[in-house]
């Protein structure tokens, strides 16, 4: 069991070079970063600054060209593809900009998907945690709807439930509000804040300062470097904002 | 991943494209049905031949003119006629291991009597012919040793001839003309049925060989001498004995080849089965090609499916699926398609086999082994043709796959 003082994420001198040679792209050019348990971190930066590359590495979908990445104290250097898949299954939940739900598959089945690949055998088949995960994101009533019957915000909630269901150490969200209107974005941020308050570590990428303002910590990237890493003294409370909007209208 | 989960996922995704799956399956359905029917027809033909050869008589040996190359029974075509009635009589006299001997002289000719005329096979033989061929009479009797000795013009009719010339009456006691020579019908043989080649064994009449020689000579050649032993165990020794007597009868010097061929029932069966086996193999091979084409259809659809579902594969990998999980998913899918297709094909094959037997009167032998083999084969087709697409899916890079539009 990882102890509280081991950071969830520790990057040391991580680089990622695409197509090495003449036209090499240094998507990450030596990144050091530590994220502790229970943090809610926003990563900002212009397009092409290396945010997605970093998220892919944090999510064990990709490995650094050089440098060291420890996830929950586990050095992922040199791990096989299968070992990386197992780490993803055990420790990571992904939320994507485009939701990435399976079409023509109910919300419940989408959320159950990660349980299929749980090799640690943490979930007894009799007591599926999927319905509870859907209730946590407020979709207890929509379990048997397929994505085409759900709004964008609801689809993203299903995706978040899917990320939650295996009880991961870390939820990674690459532009989770990129396809949503501002009100729905706020709802999703309220959900992230609520989950974070329950102790889940969340790292999200966003373009929008309004969204980033809900995090405890904002990291800004440029050309593969971290150029700013700042605590937010008074993060906005999305739930409160929503309540205010309700009153106003 | 659990097998049950894999089958459930495969079934779901198959049901999502019902029409496409059905068309893909059709290839396997037709392939398996074709294999089942073709194997059944081939086995039916073989069973038929076996039954017939058993029907030739028990412990039968056959001497034919002409040498055969060493072991090559199927090449023993008569080169020239060197069998004589005297050979048969010498065998009858001298052989100790033979229970019965009969020459078989053969001709075709017109016979007239009863309802009209009929062209048929005329066989001259000894009374022993009936014992050797194990061929009882329906009515009357077979000709006797006395008939043979006295060169009597008596004849025993095969069932087909009896039915053709005397459709309403018992022919026994009637007069017929064989090549314009009058004969008295003294018996009618039981029906033996067709040979595998479609020859009607009952389309024949039998007369004493002495009579054939005396009244119908010039038209006859002696085709064979047939004999039977007392027991099946005597056959090898009897073959040796016949050979010695025949060589003596033909005055063949030591060291020279035989100018005759001796065959036992196994040889005859092997020769006949050799041909049908080749035929059945050929049929099965042709049918297998359609199964192969069906397999290629599956591979094609699975490749399309992998491409279509690239993003799904990316999602599954991102949430913890190993390459082997993805591989298993697609493999199971192609196996389910081909197995279900195989089962439908099996049913269709059996149904067509029954129908074919009904419509054509062919012997169609459907065996549980053929069914098992067809099912195993269609599963193997699923594995074989699903392997490449499944491996392609498993080898996808999750990041690229997630980005796939
Ligand atoms: N697979 C790849 N091959 C080559 N270059 C890539 C690849 N992925 C990303 N890049 C490049 O790496 C840089 C960082 O990309 P990315 O991490 O996607 O940026 P962001 O998410 O911040 O917009 C960009 O210049 C991009 O073109
Ligand atoms: Mg990006």
């Amino acid at each position: 069991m990882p102890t509280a003082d081991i950071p969830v994420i520790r990057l040391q001198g991580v680089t990622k070079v695409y197509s090495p040679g003449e036209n090499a792209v240094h998507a990450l050019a030596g990144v050091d970063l530590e994220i502790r348990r229970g943090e809610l971190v926003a990563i900002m930066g212009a397009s092409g600054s290396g945010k997605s590359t970093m998220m892919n590495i944090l999510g064990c979908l990709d490995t650094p060209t050089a440098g060291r990445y420890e996830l929950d104290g586990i050095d992922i250097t040199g791990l096989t593809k299968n070992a990386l898949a197992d780490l993803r299954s055990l420790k990571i939940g992904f939320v994507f900009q485009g939701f990435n739900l399976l079409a023509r598959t109910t919300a419940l089945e989408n959320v159950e998907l990660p349980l299929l690949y749980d090799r640690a055998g943490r979930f007894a088949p009799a007591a599926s945690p999927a319905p509870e995960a859907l209730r946590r994101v407020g979709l207890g009533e929509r379990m048997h709807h397929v994505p085409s019957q759900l709004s964008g915000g609801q689809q993203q909630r299903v995706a978040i439930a899917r990320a939650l269901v295996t009880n991961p150490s870390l939820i990674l969200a690459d532009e989770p509000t990129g396809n949503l209107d501002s009100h729905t974005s706020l709802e999703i941020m309220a959900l992230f804040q609520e989950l974070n308050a329950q102790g889940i570590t969340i790292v999200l990428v966003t373009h929008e300062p309004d969204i980033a303002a809900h995090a405890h910590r904002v990291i800004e990237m440029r050309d593969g470097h971290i150029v700013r890493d700042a605590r937010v003294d008074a993060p906005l409370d999305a739930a409160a904002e929503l309540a205010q909007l309700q009153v106003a209208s | 991943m659990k097998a049950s989960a894999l089958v459930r996922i495969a079934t779901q995704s198959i049901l999502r494209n019902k029409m496409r799956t059905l068309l893909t399956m059709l290839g396997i359905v037709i392939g398996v049905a074709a294999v089942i029917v073709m194997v059944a027809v081939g086995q039916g033909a073989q069973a038929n031949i076996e039954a017939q050869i058993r029907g030739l008589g028990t412990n039968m040996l056959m001497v034919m003119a002409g040498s055969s190359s060493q072991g090559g029974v199927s090449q023993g075509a008569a080169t020239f006629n060197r069998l004589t009635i005297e050979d048969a009589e010498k065998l009858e006299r001298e052989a100790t291991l033979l229970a019965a001997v009969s020459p078989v002289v053969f001709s075709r000719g017109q016979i007239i009597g009863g309802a009209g005329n009929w062209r048929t096979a005329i066989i001259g033989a000894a009374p022993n012919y009936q014992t050797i061929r194990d061929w009882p009479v329906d009515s009357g009797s077979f000709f006797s040793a006395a008939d043979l000795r006295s060169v009597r013009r008596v004849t025993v009719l095969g069932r087909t001839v009896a039915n053709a010339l005397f459709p309403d009456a018992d022919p026994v006691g009637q007069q017929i003309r064989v090549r314009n020579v009058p004969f008295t019908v003294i018996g009618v043989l039981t029906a033996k049925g067709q040979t595998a080649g479609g020859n009607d064994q009952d389309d024949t009449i039998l007369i004493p060989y002495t009579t054939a020689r005396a009244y119908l000579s010039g038209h006859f050649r002696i085709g064979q001498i047939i004999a039977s032993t007392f027991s099946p165990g005597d056959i090898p020794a009897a073959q040796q004995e016949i050979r010695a007597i025949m060589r003596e009868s033909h005055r063949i010097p030591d060291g020279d080849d035989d100018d005759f061929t001796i065959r036992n029932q196994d040889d005859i069966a092997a020769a006949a089965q050799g041909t049908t086996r080749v035929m059945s193999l050929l049929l099965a091979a042709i049918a297998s090609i359609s199964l192969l084409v069906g397999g290629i259809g599956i591979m094609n659809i699975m490749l399309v499916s992998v491409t279509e579902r690239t993003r799904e594969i990316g999602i599954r990998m991102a949430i913890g699926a190993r390459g082997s999980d993805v591989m298993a998913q697609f493999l199971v899918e192609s196996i389910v398609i081909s197995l279900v297709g195989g089962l439908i094909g099996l049913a269709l094959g059996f149904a067509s086999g029954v129908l074919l037997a009904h419509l054509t009167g062919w012997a169609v032998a459907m065996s549980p082994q053929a069914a098992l083999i067809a099912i195993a084969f269609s599963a193997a087709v699923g594995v074989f043709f699903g392997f490449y697409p499944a491996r392609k899916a498993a080898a996808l890079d999750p990041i690229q796959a997630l980005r796939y539009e």
Side-chain angles (χ1 to χ4, degrees):
Chain A
M1 215 43 222
T3 51
D5 54 330
I6 293 177
V8 181
I9 289 167
R10 179 188 272 150
L11 296 180
Q12 289 173 312
V14 165
T15 67
K16 182 71 193 181
V17 184
Y18 288 114
S19 41
E22 288 279 299
N23 311 317
V25 179
H26 294 262
L28 291 180
V31 172
D32 299 312
L33 176 67
E34 234 179 63
I35 294 176
R36 315 214 128 253
R37 198 158 305 283
E39 283 197 85
L40 173 54
V41 182
I43 299 175
M44 299 193 67
S47 184
S49 58
K51 306 182 295 292
S52 292
T53 304
M54 184 149 92
M55 292 294 268
N56 288 339
I57 288 174
L58 294 182
C60 299
L61 285 170
D62 208 350
T63 49
T65 309
R68 186 179 169 91
Y69 170 32
E70 284 172 30
L71 170 64
D72 261 352
I74 300 165
D75 181 7
I76 66 134
T77 314
L79 289 188
T80 61
K81 278 186 170 184
N82 282 347
L84 290 174
D86 293 355
L87 266 184
R88 291 197 293 273
S89 164
L90 203 60
K91 294 187 177 296
I92 292 166
F94 283 100
V95 178
F96 305 93
Q97 176 173 359
F99 320 138
N100 274 340
L101 300 177
L102 295 192
R104 290 183 284 178
T105 304
T106 65
L108 188 62
E109 286 171 325
N110 263 293
V111 175
E112 278 172 341
L113 215 52
L115 307 176
L116 277 180
Y117 304 112
D118 172 50
R119 270 167 291 270
R122 288 174 293 169
F123 307 100
S128 166
E132 175 56 24
L134 276 167
R135 277 192 285 274
R136 275 172 86 179
V137 301
L139 284 179
E141 309 293 299
R142 294 273 198 295
M143 289 196 199
H144 301 291
H145 288 52
V146 295
S148 60
Q149 297 168 325
L150 296 169
S151 71
Q154 287 169 332
Q155 288 186 54
Q156 195 61 302
R157 282 168 188 274
V158 174
I160 293 169
R162 183 179 66 191
L164 277 178
V165 74
T166 52
N167 200 15
S169 308
L170 178 64
I171 287 184
L172 296 170
D174 196 347
E175 306 202 29
T177 61
N179 287 9
L180 302 174
D181 61 62
S182 60
H183 188 269
T184 313
S185 298
L186 215 50
E187 288 176 350
I188 294 297
M189 287 315 293
L191 178 57
F192 276 133
Q193 284 186 323
E194 187 188 327
L195 296 172
N196 178 245
Q198 294 164 12
I200 299 174
T201 313
I202 298 171
V203 178
L204 59 90
V205 167
T206 181
H207 280 309
E208 300 154 75
D210 291 354
I211 295 296
H214 296 88
H216 304 160
R217 179 179 170 192
V218 176
I219 291 167
E220 195 173 329
M221 298 192 66
R222 190 181 302 149
D223 299 333
H225 294 279
I226 293 180
V227 291
R228 193 168 72 95
D229 184 350
R231 307 237 140 246
V232 180
D233 293 330
L236 295 178
D237 181 348
E241 287 169 85
L242 283 167
Q244 231 165 21
L245 284 173
Q246 200 112 52
V247 172
S249 63
Chain B
M1 247 174 117
K2 281 197 221 70
S4 58
L6 281 170
V7 173
R8 185 167 47 81
I9 294 173
T11 323
Q12 276 171 355
S13 97
I14 285 168
L15 289 179
R16 263 178 211 146
N17 274 306
K18 287 194 193 69
M19 194 60 187
R20 186 165 93 182
T21 308
L22 220 63
L23 290 174
T24 309
M25 244 178 219
L26 206 55
I28 294 293
V29 170
I30 291 172
V32 168
V35 169
I36 293 277
V37 171
M38 292 304 171
V39 168
V41 167
Q43 287 189 335
Q46 259 176 23
N48 220 354
I49 284 174
E50 257 164 53
Q52 257 162 43
I53 285 163
R54 255 180 276 116
L56 283 177
T58 42
N59 310 331
M60 196 185 80
L61 284 165
M62 199 183 266
V63 186
M64 283 171 295
S67 61
S68 70
S69 62
Q70 208 79 36
V73 283
S74 58
Q75 298 160 33
T79 45
F80 53 92
N81 190 2
R82 283 278 325 250
L83 292 183
T84 62
I85 297 294
E86 287 67 36
D87 291 334
E89 287 168 352
K90 189 173 165 71
L91 283 171
E92 174 93 72
R93 267 194 322 273
E94 296 179 10
T96 56
L97 295 168
L98 297 181
V101 177
S102 169
V104 181
V105 298
F106 179 86
S107 170
R108 289 192 72 80
Q110 198 76 17
I111 57 176
I112 303 165
N117 58 59
W118 189 254
R119 201 176 154 74
T120 189
I122 307 161
I123 291 174
N128 273 337
Y129 183 92
Q130 190 191 17
T131 327
I132 299 167
R133 295 237 24 212
D134 192 15
W135 201 349
V137 286
D138 262 351
S139 65
S141 60
F142 207 80
F143 45 81
S144 63
D147 294 330
L148 187 79
R149 239 180 294 114
S150 311
V151 197
R152 290 196 184 121
R153 282 173 285 118
V154 289
T155 179
V156 180
L157 306 185
R159 215 347 104 197
T160 305
V161 178
N163 290 348
L165 294 186
F166 303 97
D168 307 314
D170 186 355
V172 173
Q174 302 285 332
Q175 293 288 314
I176 63 168
R177 297 177 77 80
V178 179
R179 289 185 185 283
N180 277 327
V181 179
F183 277 74
T184 306
V185 178
I186 57 165
V188 178
L189 292 162
T190 55
K192 253 195 193 294
Q194 289 200 338
T195 66
N199 288 325
D200 182 358
Q201 300 183 82
D202 301 312
D203 188 3
T204 190
I205 65 168
L206 285 152
I207 58 175
Y209 71 83
T210 48
T211 314
R213 188 167 50 178
Y215 292 92
L216 307 166
S217 70
H219 302 293
F220 277 91
R221 55 183 182 79
I222 175 159
Q224 310 153 350
I225 298 167
I226 60 173
S228 63
T229 60
F230 292 102
S231 79
D234 288 343
I235 285 178
Q239 264 176 285
Q240 288 311 310
E241 194 178 31
I242 292 172
R243 181 160 180 246
I245 295 170
M246 286 295 296
R247 284 182 73 91
E248 197 186 293
S249 177
H250 286 191
R251 299 196 176 77
I252 299 170
D254 285 352
D256 277 18
D257 287 340
D258 297 344
D259 61 357
F260 55 89
T261 307
I262 307 165
R263 288 184 188 172
N264 58 38
Q265 278 192 69
D266 288 345
D267 297 335
I268 300 162
Q273 285 188 330
T275 5
T276 45
R277 191 165 299 135
V278 167
M279 190 191 75
S280 344
L281 275 178
L282 209 69
L283 287 177
I286 292 167
S288 307
I289 289 173
S290 56
L291 202 53
L292 194 76
V293 173
I296 293 169
I298 289 190
M299 175 140 88
N300 182 26
I301 272 319
M302 290 311 293
L303 281 173
V304 171
S305 177
V306 167
T307 308
E308 275 179 356
R309 288 152 69 191
T310 299
R311 193 184 264 268
E312 174 191 328
I313 294 164
I315 295 168
R316 289 181 184 273
M317 285 177 158
I319 62 177
R322 288 184 180 186
S324 54
D325 292 324
V326 172
M327 173 126 183
Q329 180 185 335
F330 282 90
L331 257 188
V332 167
E333 197 169 316
S334 84
I335 293 172
V336 167
I337 292 178
S338 64
L339 253 187
V340 172
L343 283 172
I344 298 173
L346 188 66
L348 189 72
F350 270 81
S352 329
V354 170
L355 196 71
L356 195 71
H358 194 72
L359 291 181
T360 61
W362 295 353
V364 177
M366 271 168 299
S367 62
Q369 291 102 301
L372 277 180
I373 290 169
I375 292 301
F377 212 77
S378 53
V381 164
V383 173
F384 186 79
F385 290 100
F387 185 79
Y388 173 67
R391 208 189 51 179
K392 209 178 147 188
L396 285 175
D397 171 40
I399 300 171
Q400 306 286 340
L402 280 168
R403 230 183 260 145
Y404 185 84
E405 291 300 330

